[in-house]
Amino acid sequence: MDDHSKHDHSRWEGVVIAARERARSRQALMVERFGLSGDVQYHWSMDDARITWSRRRKWSRRSEVFLTGRLTMIGSVSLARQTWLWSWANESLPPAVLGDIERVRRFGEDNDFPVLPWPGFDSHPELVAEARTVAASVLDADGLWMESADDTELHFLLHDLVPAAAAD
């Protein structure tokens, strides 16, 4: 055993497995409960950390918002450089979209877990998935969401989902 390292890999794996199961069930529940499949449009903004979903009614040409939520940016992947950058380490982001992401960094520090307190790392898909799901668990997110733009993947948590008032 390496005396120089405090990291307990089996403990980290247990946290990841629990977080992955939590994320899987929350994601499925969110999609089912709010009808987030099929012909759904969305609009999001990092400036105010909001996302809305809308759907076109069959009898109308207009889309109507049916769900709103809050975003927390977890981090981003540069596909060109194959690197991950935590949002808490990205000074170019609007403060609103950071939410409580600092709690994820502190959770990593407090538990001697790698990846979480590092500003960035090589973006191996499994490692990114672990970081995302553990962040979702630490911040009690309703779901995970990813947006691709140019050569960048933006990774978010979804919180505080509220159905729009029925306009009957």
Side-chain angles (χ1 to χ4, degrees):
M1 183 166 171
D2 184 0
D3 292 336
H4 300 294
S5 175
K6 295 189 279 181
H7 173 62
D8 180 345
H9 190 70
S10 63
R11 201 165 130 250
W12 169 249
E13 283 183 342
V15 167
V16 168
I17 289 166
R20 188 173 287 146
E21 185 53 40
R22 180 199 174 282
R24 188 177 299 126
S25 64
R26 285 258 177 130
Q27 196 81 9
L29 179 64
M30 179 186 70
V31 169
E32 181 182 331
R33 179 177 177 208
F34 297 113
L36 295 177
S37 58
D39 186 26
V40 175
Q41 295 85 42
Y42 59 89
H43 173 76
W44 61 280
S45 166
M46 281 204 270
D47 291 330
D48 64 359
R50 302 298 304 164
I51 185 167
T52 60
W53 289 268
S54 60
R55 181 177 284 120
R56 185 168 293 163
R57 292 203 176 216
K58 291 180 179 161
W59 48 266
S60 172
R61 293 183 182 204
R62 286 188 20 234
S63 290
E64 292 186 15
V65 171
F66 67 91
L67 185 65
T68 64
R70 181 173 57 86
L71 295 172
T72 297
M73 186 166 178
I74 309 168
S76 57
V77 172
S78 166
L79 298 175
R81 292 189 304 272
Q82 291 294 298
T83 56
W84 167 271
L85 177 65
W86 283 100
S87 62
W88 57 261
N90 187 340
E91 295 176 3
S92 69
L93 295 174
V97 80
L98 298 177
D100 292 330
I101 197 67
E102 268 294 317
R103 283 181 39 215
V104 175
R105 184 187 60 76
R106 284 193 312 269
F107 178 77
E109 287 176 347
D110 293 347
N111 291 284
D112 296 314
F113 290 145
V115 180
L116 303 180
W118 302 345
F121 53 86
D122 290 342
S123 67
H124 302 290
E126 183 64 24
L127 201 50
V128 169
E130 289 177 3
R132 285 170 34 104
T133 57
V134 171
S137 182
V138 169
L139 296 182
D140 195 30
D142 293 317
L144 290 153
W145 178 60
M146 192 266 294
E147 180 76 21
S148 291
D150 299 320
D151 74 337
T152 305
E153 292 176 355
L154 305 174
H155 295 269
F156 298 92
L157 299 175
L158 303 170
H159 308 272
D160 306 330
L161 300 179
V162 178
D168 289 0

